Amino acid sequence: MAYGASVITHTRLGRNTVNAIRMAEILRVFARHGFADVLRRLGFHESLPARMLRGLNLLEEPAGPPETFGERLRLALQELGPTFIKFGQVLSTRPDLVGHGIAGELGQLQDRVPPLPFEHIRPMVEAAAGAPLASAYKTFEEQAVAAASLSQVHRAVTSDGKVVAVKVQRPDAVRTIQSDLLLLQSVAEWLAERMDTRALDPVGIVNEFARSIRREMDFTIEARAARQFGENFRHDDRVIIPDVVEELSNDRVLVLEWIDGVRIDAVEEYESRNSDPAVVAKLGAETLCVMVFEHHLFHADPHPGNILLARDNRIAILDLGMAGYLDAQDAERLADLFWAIFTNDARACMEAILALSTGADPGNPEALAHELAEFIAFEAKTIVSGGQVARGMERALEIIRRHGLELAPRFSLLLKALATIEVVGRTLDPQLDMLPILRPHIERLITRRFSPAGMARQGREQARLWWRFSRQVPEDLAEVLRQLRRGRVKIQVHHEHLEALGRTIERASRRNAIAMITAALIVGSSLVITTDSALVRVGILGYLVAGVLGLYLVLTMLWGGER
């Protein structure tokens, strides 16, 4: 399907038509990759697009060798285009929702497409520069050096001689993304009405994805992030953050300093660049720890394509639009969790996990504490002593998921980044141990918290909270009294499992109605059939109908189950 090709999306009917066509394509792709049974259980099998596809014999069966669920999902999302590829990449950062196997498979999604001809993007480059191309740039390579579904990158030289990378958003990207987001939100709302959202919130997942991709589509956000990262590492010459050329950039064109480097996992290039893989592996892990525990702003996707090796053991970090932020309290909670694992403190580990989680409290806190204690006693020490910190965190997350807890999205993003950088580091140095890299940062953070300055800061924060609380309580009480006087106070009571009771009452009412109709038919037919008139046949017909209804009633009561 040619994304964004329709010209009728400006009307409601046009949007609905395009959505129906796109929905049909989505159903067809998922069915071809072996998800027909899932679609049927979710109710999509009876939707209008699905009925149209069945009528045209376009719902294909999967072909080829059997594949895992994660592989099939990855291939389906890959085929559906940029929005779904990005959606899969976002889901890959949430192993707490989809599981580590599926998250790992989705992490392999590749967002590569042929670049657009230069003439299609030239007007955008000139609009960002506010001048003709020849005035803004000495040279501009028309052949893109990299291309993805949302943007492509060209090498150029500015009018003042600076070599730059020009990242240009594809002209149809916004329209394509917005159309697919509307469709995803409609599907999520439809699912939310038909499933238990306590275990999985489809609307929340789609909204989180929408925020993520809209940030990625606004290049001014990436420019601000790049400036902040550059400021954070201005005193560390081992880490290169490309400068932003602001006068040539806007929300759809981003011009950055060109970095002469190779992918960090190109081990064969290290000798020619006077670099040591083991030193670079440690530097990458150290850089992420500094981002998290010192700067509280971290790169959320540090895969090898986003980290370049320059020369002399220096690294350059690219694609800074995918960034995560933690406030000081978040960093302290994370440090508490790591420290509890390091010191084998199960109770502190549970408290830290609850502070990092969202949703309701665990149904059985004692069972959670006992399972965490067993994990720390028998597994954590071995895992952590082997330097596999990310693996230790994954096991802890598996435990909390079994108890109905969900990690807050910002922490899931961080743990994905930690796992990615650990994998990259071990590719360069199989002996890489994350523990001695991570532990000093945690110890410094905890030491600062309990230093005189840290205690004073916490005292000031508590004093501000109590002062705000003392001012807010009288206002809240006055508002409650005003609402009581006006009779506007509403009390909401939530009953659990009343849906089953409602269904039971509905079934009983329906059966009572059928029984009453059956009885009425029998009585009426008996009165008619005893008369010597032409209505005898009507009485016999009434008996037959009553018999059929009675038989149906008996069968549904015996074998109908919950219907």
Side-chain angles (χ1 to χ4, degrees):
M1 179 177 179
Y3 300 108
S6 175
V7 296
I8 59 173
T9 58
H10 61 285
T11 67
R12 184 176 180 181
L13 176 61
R15 284 195 301 270
N16 290 339
T17 303
V18 171
N19 281 345
I21 294 172
R22 180 65 166 147
M23 188 66 186
E25 180 185 6
I26 292 169
L27 294 176
R28 183 168 176 251
V29 169
F30 274 104
R32 186 166 62 249
H33 287 283
F35 290 97
D37 184 57
V38 176
L39 297 175
R40 186 178 295 107
R41 280 184 281 143
L42 290 175
F44 289 112
H45 196 67
E46 295 304 320
S47 64
L48 177 60
R51 291 201 300 269
M52 291 171 55
L53 290 173
R54 287 201 303 275
L56 297 172
N57 292 322
L58 293 178
L59 277 180
E60 306 169 26
E61 294 295 326
E67 295 161 324
T68 66
F69 184 93
E71 287 173 331
R72 290 186 285 117
L73 181 59
R74 172 176 59 82
L75 292 172
L77 296 177
Q78 184 86 44
E79 185 174 342
L80 286 170
T83 309
F84 290 86
I85 290 173
K86 293 294 182 184
F87 188 43
Q89 290 171 340
V90 169
L91 286 180
S92 74
T93 69
R94 299 298 307 274
D96 54 309
L97 292 181
V98 300
H100 291 282
I102 295 176
E105 191 67 41
L106 294 180
Q108 301 177 35
L109 279 167
Q110 299 296 314
D111 187 13
R112 297 195 184 104
V113 298
L116 287 175
F118 178 66
E119 292 307 315
H120 289 197
I121 66 164
R122 178 174 184 149
M124 299 172 63
V125 176
E126 293 180 333
L133 193 71
S135 301
Y137 297 92
K138 281 186 178 179
T139 62
F140 197 105
E141 295 183 8
E142 296 187 3
Q143 182 62 40
V145 296
S149 55
L150 295 184
S151 61
Q152 57 192 58
V153 179
H154 294 257
R155 190 175 188 271
V157 179
T158 63
S159 57
D160 59 359
K162 183 183 296 183
V163 183
V164 294
V166 183
K167 182 178 179 181
V168 188
Q169 192 174 106
R170 296 171 75 96
D172 61 344
V174 173
R175 184 170 51 193
T176 302
I177 296 295
Q178 294 292 2
S179 176
D180 280 348
L181 281 179
L182 287 173
L183 182 58
L184 281 174
Q185 287 168 342
S186 298
V187 171
E189 291 167 1
W190 188 89
L191 287 174
E193 295 174 357
R194 292 163 173 79
M195 62 184 293
D196 183 2
T197 57
R198 290 174 296 178
L200 186 67
D201 180 11
V203 175
I205 293 173
V206 171
N207 287 340
E208 179 186 336
F209 166 63
R211 288 193 300 271
S212 171
I213 199 167
R214 282 171 180 150
R215 285 197 305 267
E216 192 172 347
M217 290 166 63
D218 186 352
F219 288 174
T220 60
I221 294 177
E222 182 173 350
R224 287 196 296 271
R227 287 193 292 271
Q228 185 60 58
F229 277 108
E231 178 67 18
N232 291 344
F233 285 98
R234 69 184 185 279
H235 298 306
D236 190 346
D237 60 1
R238 302 172 302 167
V239 180
I240 303 170
I241 306 294
D243 293 330
V244 179
V245 184
E246 297 186 26
E247 61 272 17
L248 299 177
S249 304
N250 63 9
D251 60 335
R252 303 187 70 183
V253 176
L254 179 62
V255 182
L256 298 166
E257 171 192 3
W258 180 270
I259 303 296
D260 177 24
V262 297
R263 285 173 55 109
I264 194 174
D265 58 351
V267 181
E268 68 279 1
E269 298 286 340
Y270 272 69
E271 185 176 354
S272 64
R273 291 181 174 267
N274 191 33
S275 299
D276 182 353
V279 173
V280 173
K282 184 176 180 181
L283 174 60
E286 173 75 21
T287 299
L288 181 62
C289 291
V290 170
M291 288 179 179
V292 173
F293 296 107
E294 305 293 334
H295 303 156
H296 304 156
L297 179 70
F298 63 93
H299 196 302
D301 192 20
H303 65 76
N306 286 337
I307 306 177
L308 299 183
L309 172 69
R311 291 185 175 277
D312 303 319
N313 294 318
R314 301 171 72 208
I315 60 174
I317 301 176
L318 310 178
D319 199 8
L320 297 163
M322 286 286 288
Y325 174 76
L326 301 175
D327 60 28
Q329 190 176 43
D330 288 338
E332 290 177 356
R333 289 171 176 171
L334 194 65
D336 288 339
L337 175 59
F338 280 115
W339 188 252
I341 293 176
F342 294 159
T343 57
N344 300 327
D345 189 337
R347 180 61 61 175
C349 182
M350 186 181 78
E351 292 173 356
I353 284 176
L354 292 178
L356 297 175
S357 302
T358 60
D361 292 334
N364 191 339
E366 293 302 321
L368 173 60
H370 179 70
E371 193 167 352
L372 286 172
E374 287 186 340
F375 161 67
I376 288 176
F378 300 114
E379 296 182 62
K381 187 177 294 185
T382 302
I383 294 173
V384 173
S385 63
Q388 300 178 355
V389 175
R391 174 58 185 156
M393 297 305 301
E394 288 175 3
R395 284 288 296 117
L397 292 180
E398 290 172 5
I399 293 172
I400 71 170
R401 277 201 304 275
R402 284 200 293 271
H403 290 267
L405 296 177
E406 180 182 330
L407 201 64
R410 60 189 182 279
F411 297 114
S412 297
L413 205 61
L414 170 60
L415 294 182
K416 173 67 169 11
L418 179 64
T420 301
I421 202 70
E422 187 173 319
V423 169
V424 173
R426 288 182 180 276
T427 302
L428 301 176
D429 179 13
Q431 304 304 316
L432 177 68
D433 186 350
M434 288 289 293
L435 185 57
I437 300 172
L438 184 62
R439 188 162 188 154
H441 294 279
I442 294 172
E443 290 175 345
R444 273 199 300 272
L445 186 59
I446 293 176
T447 301
R448 280 202 305 268
R449 189 198 305 179
F450 294 104
S451 67
M455 297 292 285
R457 176 180 59 81
Q458 293 178 57
R460 289 193 299 271
E461 291 174 356
Q462 291 297 322
R464 280 198 298 270
L465 288 173
W466 279 106
W467 173 249
R468 190 180 304 119
F469 179 74
S470 66
R471 293 182 60 188
Q472 190 67 34
V473 167
E475 295 178 8
D476 290 344
L477 286 175
E479 179 63 23
V480 170
L481 291 174
R482 279 195 297 271
Q483 297 296 332
L484 281 171
R485 283 196 296 268
R486 296 171 182 172
R488 295 180 179 177
V489 174
K490 296 181 180 179
I491 299 176
Q492 294 183 346
V493 180
H494 174 68
H495 293 277
E496 293 188 354
H497 309 304
L498 279 186
E499 297 84 357
L501 177 60
R503 288 193 296 270
T504 301
I505 294 174
E506 182 183 353
R507 287 197 306 273
S509 301
R510 188 165 57 246
R511 289 170 180 171
N512 283 336
I514 294 174
M516 291 176 65
I517 293 172
T518 303
L521 283 171
I522 293 173
V523 172
S525 298
S526 298
L527 292 174
V528 170
I529 206 169
T530 57
T531 63
D532 189 12
S533 68
L535 296 177
V536 173
R537 292 181 179 179
V538 175
I540 295 173
L541 179 62
Y543 275 134
L544 292 175
V545 174
V548 171
L549 288 176
L551 181 63
Y552 169 76
L553 183 62
V554 171
L555 291 176
T556 55
M557 292 175 65
L558 291 177
W559 293 291
E562 298 296 316
R563 291 179 296 177

